[in-house]
């Protein structure tokens, strides 16, 4: 057959580690065939029996405020909880060019770590207006060859109590933002902000992704209001929330009940381990609450969940190498999930599960789908998470996006 590329000796997720490998033929940027052995001319790349996955999906990220520690360094007070305020104080320095340059540096690191899809939240609070949105929108066009970037417009610093704030959200929605988000925790009227988000989602026919249920008290969880509104406007499978630290404080039976409620309403949860760990339990000096929700437990009840990076090198998370696999490894370690099945589920929370949140209907290594894949230096999805395996090479629509040399020991 006429093909542009054949990826040979690939091991897919549904195959057993010791089982047979396949060849994947690419034509016109799409997967044309997956067979045990494909004859054909054109470029041939040998996966050498390694595990091949679709490109990773970052379902919750903040490109626009990444890499700002040079202007707002971490403070030594470990009890402080002023990440939002400290970020707000330097937001006036965010020009379009500045946001673009920082977001580009972060995005390129994500690409090198195997990410091929991303939902990035973009702040349009009055102190930045649409400057961040302008920058990230331009970035999404400039890097369309490597990644599908989905913009979620939101207000970080309050909505119902901030004059002019909603007008910026509406302006971004009119420009085509496909997702509206929020941070009701920082609103004088959190439930009121949630109601405005759902009203705008319905009016502009966009999806919803809200920062929700940070903290450690469980009598006041906002997820019930979110599920109620999702049912009310029929937005099932179009709503996600990020964080859910409070769910880590629920006894198992209540966590399971929450999982069933999320499943019934079609509301997904993105767990954000790096930020959740860095910001949780700050009121405690010892036996610190970890604040990372057990997504595996929610998935077991039928809910959809993902694991995501969220922040890189800013006051909310002063770390980050943009390795989503490292974040999954961190998550698995914290929630004490280590079986082959649990770790494979963690990998699905970087791939097929967040792809559902982003509503990518043609996601996955299958005939007819875009030829997006990553070759890992591992043989199974569980091994990728357990060992923080290196992505060896990545392709987007059949074109090579990156290559990593495998480490080599130089023996005497
Ligand atoms: Zn976030």
């Amino acid at each position: 057959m006429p093909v542009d590329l054949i990826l040979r000796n690939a091991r897919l997720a549904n195959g057993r580690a010791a089982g047979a490998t396949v060849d994947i033929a690419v034509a016109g940027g799409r997967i044309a065939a997956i067979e045990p052995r494909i004859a054909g001319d054109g470029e041939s790349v040998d996966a050498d029996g390694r595990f091949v996955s679709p490109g990773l999906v970052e379902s919750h990220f903040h490109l626009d405020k990444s890499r700002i520690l040079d202007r707002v360094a971490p403070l030594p007070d470990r009890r402080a909880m002023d990440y939002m305020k400290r970020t707000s104080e330097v937001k006036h320095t965010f020009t379009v060019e500045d946001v673009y340059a920082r977001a580009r540096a972060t995005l390129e690191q994500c690409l090198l770590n195997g990410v091929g899809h991303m939902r990035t939240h973009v702040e349009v609070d009055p102190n930045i207006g649409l400057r961040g949105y302008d920058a990230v929108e331009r970035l999404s066009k400039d890097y369309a060859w490597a990644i599908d970037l989905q913009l979620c417009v939101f207000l970080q610093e309050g909505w119902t109590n901030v004059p002019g704030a909603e007008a910026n959200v509406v302006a971004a929605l009119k420009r085509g933002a496909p997702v509206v988000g929020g941070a009701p925790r920082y609103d004088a009227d959190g439930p009121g902000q949630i109601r405005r988000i759902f009203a705008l989602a319905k009016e502009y026919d966009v999806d919803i992704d809200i920062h929700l249920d940070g903290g450690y008290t469980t009598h006041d969880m906002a997820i019930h209001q979110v599920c109620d509104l999702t049912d009310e406007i029929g937005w099932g499978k179009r709503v996600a929330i990020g964080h859910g630290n409070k769910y880590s404080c629920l006894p198992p039976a209540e966590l399971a009940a929450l999982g069933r409620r999320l499943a019934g309403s079609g509301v997904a949860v993105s767990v954000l381990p790096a930020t959740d760990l860095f910001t949780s339990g700050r009121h405690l000096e010892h036996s610190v609450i970890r604040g990372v929700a057990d997504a595996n437990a929610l998935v077991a009840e039928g809910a959809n969940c993902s694991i995501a990076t969220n922040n890189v090198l800013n006051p909310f998370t002063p770390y980050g190498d943009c390795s989503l696999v490292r974040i999954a490894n961190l998550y698995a370690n914290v929630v004490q999930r280590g079986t082959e099945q649990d770790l494979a589920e963690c990998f699905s929370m970087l791939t097929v599960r967040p792809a559902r949140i982003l509503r990518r209907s043609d996601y996955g290594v299958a005939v007819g789908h875009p030829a997006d894949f990553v070759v890992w230096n591992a043989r199974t999805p569980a091994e990728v998470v357990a060992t923080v395996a290196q992505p060896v090479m990545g392709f987007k629509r059949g074109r090579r996006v990156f290559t990593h040399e495998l480490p080599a020991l130089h023996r005497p």
Side-chain angles (χ1 to χ4, degrees), residues 40-62:
D41 305 327
E43 189 189 354
S44 174
V45 175
D46 192 358
D48 204 18
R50 293 192 173 88
F51 170 54
V52 173
S53 79
L56 301 182
V57 184
E58 280 275 16
S59 64
H60 188 123
F61 210 97
H62 294 264

Side-chain angles (χ1 to χ4, degrees), residues 137-316:
E137 187 183 54
R138 176 146 63 90
L139 191 72
S140 75
K141 289 174 184 154
D142 292 350
Y143 280 79
W145 55 273
I147 188 165
D148 293 294
L149 211 49
Q150 192 181 74
L151 275 60
C152 173
V153 59
F154 89 115
L155 296 164
Q156 174 73 68
E157 304 178 19
W159 180 322
T160 63
N161 52 328
V162 182
E166 181 169 312
N168 290 344
V169 176
V170 169
L173 291 172
K174 284 184 172 163
R175 275 169 57 172
V179 191
V180 60
R185 190 182 197 180
Y186 297 110
D187 201 304
D189 176 12
Q193 175 173 139
I194 293 170
R195 284 193 295 275
R196 287 307 302 149
I197 292 166
F198 275 82
L200 287 181
K202 196 174 177 192
E203 185 179 346
Y204 289 91
D205 191 20
V206 295
D207 294 351
I208 293 171
D209 198 332
I210 310 176
H211 296 80
L212 206 77
D213 285 337
Y216 55 92
T217 54
T218 56
H219 64 279
D220 53 355
M221 301 194 309
I223 191 66
H224 304 300
Q225 185 197 4
V226 166
C227 288
D228 287 345
L229 287 168
T230 302
D231 296 342
E232 197 177 303
I233 70 165
W235 238 239
K237 307 215 164 120
R238 299 187 68 177
V239 179
I241 72 100
H243 293 299
N245 310 57
K246 289 173 185 246
Y247 316 152
S248 74
C249 300
L250 289 172
E254 289 176 39
L255 184 62
L258 174 64
R260 290 190 291 276
R261 180 78 215 270
L262 294 166
S265 295
V267 174
V269 173
S270 292
V271 177
L272 314 170
T275 307
D276 292 343
L277 280 166
F278 187 68
T279 61
S280 289
R282 291 255 170 165
H283 59 299
L284 299 168
E285 290 184 333
H286 63 95
S287 297
V288 175
I289 291 171
R290 293 169 299 189
V292 179
D294 184 350
N296 289 69
L298 297 173
V299 163
E301 300 297 332
N304 188 28
C305 295
S306 70
I307 303 165
T309 297
N310 193 32
N311 283 297
V312 171
L313 301 170
N314 69 24
F316 295 84

Side-chain angles (χ1 to χ4, degrees), residues 7-152:
L7 183 67
R8 297 195 181 281
N9 303 312
R11 197 176 301 277
L12 300 181
N14 48 8
R16 300 187 70 83
T21 59
V22 294
D23 290 353
I24 303 170
V26 176
R30 291 189 173 264
I31 297 173
I34 302 174
E35 305 282 348
R37 185 88 188 120
I38 297 173
D41 305 327
E43 189 189 354
S44 174
V45 175
D46 192 358
D48 204 18
R50 293 192 173 88
F51 170 54
V52 173
S53 79
L56 301 182
V57 184
E58 280 275 16
S59 64
H60 188 123
F61 210 97
H62 294 264
L63 287 171
D64 58 348
K65 61 182 172 195
S66 67
R67 293 174 198 276
I68 53 171
L69 293 181
D70 56 339
R71 58 198 97 167
V72 55
L75 293 177
D77 179 8
R78 290 168 45 231
R79 301 283 83 74
M81 297 183 65
D82 55 353
Y83 341 98
M84 193 279 276
K85 181 171 166 287
R86 297 182 65 235
T87 304
S88 173
E89 282 166 3
V90 298
K91 253 156 95 173
H92 67 277
T93 64
F94 291 13
T95 63
V96 175
E97 292 310 314
D98 166 56
V99 173
Y100 186 92
R102 289 185 290 98
R104 180 178 60 190
T106 300
L107 188 69
E108 290 190 355
Q109 270 313 113
C110 292
L111 298 179
L112 290 168
N113 281 289
V115 176
H117 299 265
M118 177 187 286
R119 174 179 287 176
T120 188
H121 294 249
V122 186
E123 310 186 2
V124 293
D125 300 281
N127 58 358
I128 184 161
L130 291 171
R131 298 196 302 275
Y133 194 88
D134 288 339
V136 179
E137 187 183 54
R138 176 146 63 90
L139 191 72
S140 75
K141 289 174 184 154
D142 292 350
Y143 280 79
W145 55 273
I147 188 165
D148 293 294
L149 211 49
Q150 192 181 74
L151 275 60
C152 173

